[in-house]
Amino acid sequence: MTWRSASSSGRLSFLFLLILALGFAFASYNFVSLLLRHNADLARSADPVVPLPHPPKRPPATGKLFHVALTATDAPYSQWQCRIMYYWYKKMQIVEGSDMGGFTRILHSGKSDHLMDEIPTVIVQPLADGLDRGYVVLNRPWAFVQWLENFPIEEDYILMAEPDHIFVNPLPNLARADNPAAFPFFYITPNQHEKIIRKYYPEKKGPVSDIDPIGNSPVIIHKNQLAKIAPTWMNVSLRMKDDPETDEAFGWVLEMYGYAVASALHGVHHILRKDFMIQPPWDLTLGTAFIIHYTYGCDYNMKGELTYGKIGEWRFDKRSHLSGPIPRNIPLPPPGVPESVVTLVKKVNEATANIPNWDNSKIEKDDSFSR
């Protein structure tokens, strides 16, 4: 009895292990097959946009340097932002993990200003009188066309940036092969404007979903790609501004749509990097972001509650300083205000405390577009 019991138990154990192994193998096969089918479905979708949201750790420098370029006017509103931006570029450029190369402020006012000795600058011409119809940022694509044609740079890549960008972490080259890297904007929605988009992106080019939800900045792109896109970007933007329906629909982001459409026309698609930058007050924490973009006003009551759309008891809004530099030593926001806003104020205060002659900046007539 004992021998038969042991033999039966052994056979049952062996049979159990065999069934378990076969079951595991079958489950593993199904799981791998599911992954393969999923990847095949992704491939068949032919979506050229490569999103890389929330990377687990900061990517290292690639050694492929990019040139930082921003377009600007000679108005005080633009100048003080450029000075802060350049201060943080210099600090982050030398930090390990950065792929920042040279820097150029592309001044599209057609004449020099008092920052020529402080910030590396080239002068290009604005659009002909009246062509921008008061929409000054329409000069941006024309400025890049002139710069790329007349001012060679050493780096193979370019970061298109804006004066109201503050570098808060060393920025590596996020572009890969033929795919530039860009920040996705929630308000750039080509699919919701298909009728208008088709005026500039015909059906034969492909679905409207091929157009990335981006603007030209921040974008890291190979200079050869940008040299092809920039003239189209300029022409598409001018056509959009000249069309009342498009002008009304796109408003202050028209030139951003111009870049998105121009890129798609050239078959260029972007890696979408949500970690490229944050935009206070909507983004609450810094996270792994590389840039703070302070385009929105930050208004709070003394309880630390956001009062957006209503001037707060405490506020930070770049548009409050159109005619001269923002003051030094801005008071920190009250307790409860998000980290992103606190960090922004600290970064601005550090820059203005260390930039020479900050309070004595030359006052000039302001005719800038306050985007």
Side-chain angles (χ1 to χ4, degrees), residues 166-316:
I166 291 178
F167 295 107
V168 290
N169 281 302
L171 178 58
N173 189 338
L174 303 176
R176 295 292 181 270
D178 294 330
N179 294 111
F183 177 81
F185 290 91
F186 72 90
Y187 49 78
I188 302 298
T189 54
N191 288 334
Q192 296 180 17
H193 300 282
E194 182 164 4
K195 177 184 174 184
I196 293 175
I197 290 292
R198 285 304 185 193
K199 296 181 180 183
Y200 315 97
Y201 191 75
E203 290 187 12
K204 65 181 181 181
K205 295 295 294 185
V208 170
S209 58
D210 282 351
I211 300 171
D212 298 332
I214 60 172
N216 83 290
S217 176
V219 166
I220 299 177
I221 184 171
H222 197 282
K223 62 185 178 183
N224 292 341
Q225 287 180 315
L226 184 56
K228 294 177 181 178
I229 292 172
T232 308
W233 172 26
M234 178 186 69
N235 291 327
V236 168
S237 298
L238 288 171
R239 285 178 56 203
M240 287 180 170
K241 189 64 180 176
D242 198 45
D243 179 70
E245 183 184 23
T246 307
D247 192 20
E248 181 179 359
F250 293 163
W252 63 274
V253 296
L254 180 147
E255 161 266 341
M256 297 173 69
Y257 272 101
Y259 176 80
V261 170
S263 298
L265 287 170
H266 285 276
V268 175
H269 298 280
H270 298 68
I271 300 168
L272 302 182
R273 297 289 304 233
K274 290 185 178 180
D275 63 336
F276 215 145
M277 69 181 186
I278 61 168
Q279 301 184 99
W282 311 119
D283 296 307
L284 305 181
T285 61
L286 183 61
T288 60
F290 302 101
I291 293 170
I292 294 178
H293 181 212
Y294 55 99
T295 189
Y296 297 105
C298 301
D299 288 277
Y300 294 87
N301 61 28
M302 297 313 291
K303 296 180 182 179
E305 299 169 334
L306 183 65
T307 62
Y308 192 80
K310 176 183 177 182
I311 295 178
E313 297 173 271
W314 182 94
R315 78 177 328 220
F316 179 97

Side-chain angles (χ1 to χ4, degrees), residues 125-136:
Q125 298 302 311
L127 292 167
D129 288 346
L131 199 57
D132 62 21
R133 302 189 181 188
Y135 181 57
V136 177

Side-chain angles (χ1 to χ4, degrees), residues 45-114:
S45 71
D47 183 358
V49 178
V50 186
L52 294 174
H54 308 300
K57 60 182 180 179
R58 190 169 307 287
T62 66
K64 297 180 181 179
L65 298 182
F66 56 83
H67 195 96
V68 180
L70 74 156
T71 54
T73 73
D74 61 357
Y77 174 74
S78 177
Q79 289 173 333
W80 67 256
Q81 293 175 57
C82 288
R83 299 182 82 192
I84 292 174
M85 194 268 200
Y86 184 58
Y87 172 87
W88 283 106
Y89 153 79
K90 289 189 294 182
K91 288 204 70 171
M92 288 298 117
Q93 184 199 23
I94 60 176
V95 177
E96 183 179 357
S98 170
D99 281 323
M100 295 180 183
F103 186 101
T104 299
R105 180 181 64 137
I106 308 172
L107 186 61
H108 56 73
S109 300
K111 61 183 186 300
S112 63
D113 65 3
H114 70 285

Side-chain angles (χ1 to χ4, degrees), residues 122-163:
V122 299
I123 300 170
V124 297
Q125 298 302 311
L127 292 167
D129 288 346
L131 199 57
D132 62 21
R133 302 189 181 188
Y135 181 57
V136 177
V137 291
L138 204 58
N139 287 280
R140 183 174 294 154
W142 173 223
F144 272 108
V145 169
Q146 295 174 80
W147 179 59
L148 290 164
E149 288 181 352
N150 299 297
F151 299 94
I153 58 172
E154 295 181 1
E155 299 87 354
D156 288 330
Y157 290 85
I158 294 167
L159 165 64
M160 292 187 284
E162 296 186 15

